[in-house]
Amino acid sequence: MTFTAGAEHIDFMGHVNNAVWLQWAQDIATAHWEAVADPAHVEAYLWVVTRHEIDYRGNIAEGESVIGATRIEQPPTGARFERLIDFMRAEGGKPLVSVRSTWAMIARDTGRLQRVPQDVAKRFLPAE
């Protein structure tokens, strides 16, 4: 996904605010879930973040854009999946900001943590 910094995204330092990077990370994670998951799974499960870790190597100013790319490299552990997101100026460029997030699956009908079913996980894991 492409994200462009608007005036509302800029902090007192003149570049994208830290909270905006997290919002963009959530936006791309949600879009990835909705695009790849079986529609029945989208209806049955919700995701919440339990941890974010962010590495900043650069930033962008108002009017500049980045491409966000996300991936999941490891199988889930119980209810949790680790998602990696890189934001870069151009496809294949060096990441300016990298986010490592842990997401937990919630069963929509109970509101409780749900172990990630194998049929959910396999759509997001690299081909073996």
Side-chain angles (χ1 to χ4, degrees):
M1 291 177 66
T2 300
F3 299 91
T4 301
E8 69 277 13
H9 301 127
I10 304 304
D11 65 15
F12 66 94
M13 299 277 297
H15 51 61
V16 171
N17 184 278
N18 298 345
V20 174
W21 290 108
L22 287 177
Q23 180 62 56
W24 290 351
Q26 181 172 315
D27 292 348
I28 195 170
T30 300
H32 186 223
W33 166 247
E34 291 173 351
V36 175
D38 182 305
H41 295 158
V42 174
E43 288 293 317
Y45 306 116
L46 302 168
W47 292 92
V48 295
V49 172
T50 62
R51 178 179 170 83
H52 283 303
E53 181 180 326
I54 305 174
D55 292 317
Y56 297 97
R57 296 177 197 87
N59 213 315
I60 61 172
E62 184 176 349
E64 294 182 310
S65 297
V66 289
I67 296 169
T70 187
R71 66 196 182 282
I72 296 172
E73 296 179 340
Q74 301 295 320
T77 303
R80 290 174 172 76
F81 242 138
E82 184 177 79
R83 175 178 291 280
L84 306 169
I85 301 167
D86 290 322
F87 294 97
M88 55 220 121
R89 291 188 190 273
E91 191 69 43
K94 291 183 181 180
L96 295 174
V97 175
S98 296
V99 180
R100 179 180 301 269
S101 296
T102 304
W103 292 76
M105 178 178 268
I106 304 288
R108 191 182 296 264
D109 61 349
T110 66
R112 293 190 174 167
L113 284 176
Q114 163 78 44
R115 177 178 290 277
V116 179
Q118 189 172 14
D119 60 330
V120 171
K122 72 180 180 183
R123 288 180 172 248
F124 294 90
L125 295 172
E128 295 179 359

